[in-house]
Amino acid sequence: DLFLYSRVDVPCETDPIRNSLEWREWLDREFQKELQHRNCNYVSIEGSWQERFQMAVRCVDELIQRF
């Protein structure tokens, strides 16, 4: 398994579910701690939207090549 963990370094648009931007960084830290606590295989996806896409594609390609 591989989790692609999207960090909070890009702007967020609020909606009825994501309406508390002050919780955003706290939730980011808590989610990352939980992934680490559970020894999950994950990659932090950061940067611009284009960089995120490229990083995600590269990670998935590398995972597929292992099989």
Side-chain angles (χ1 to χ4, degrees):
D1 291 344
L2 176 65
F3 292 89
L4 301 178
Y5 184 66
S6 182
R7 302 301 308 269
V8 295
D9 59 329
V10 291
C12 177
E13 294 186 30
T14 59
D15 62 23
I17 295 172
R18 294 175 297 242
N19 61 3
S20 180
L21 296 179
E22 62 269 8
W23 287 90
R24 190 173 185 221
E25 289 184 16
W26 179 82
L27 286 170
D28 179 58
R29 288 189 304 274
E30 293 301 308
F31 290 147
Q32 190 167 17
K33 278 192 242 178
E34 190 63 24
L35 287 168
Q36 292 169 351
H37 174 74
R38 294 175 182 264
N39 294 317
C40 293
N41 183 25
Y42 75 97
V43 176
S44 290
I45 303 295
E46 302 173 319
S48 69
W49 293 112
Q50 183 64 32
E51 292 168 330
R52 288 167 173 259
F53 178 76
Q54 291 170 347
M55 185 182 293
V57 168
R58 186 174 60 248
C59 290
V60 170
D61 283 345
E62 290 173 3
L63 182 65
I64 290 171
Q65 289 176 9
R66 291 185 210 159
F67 294 99

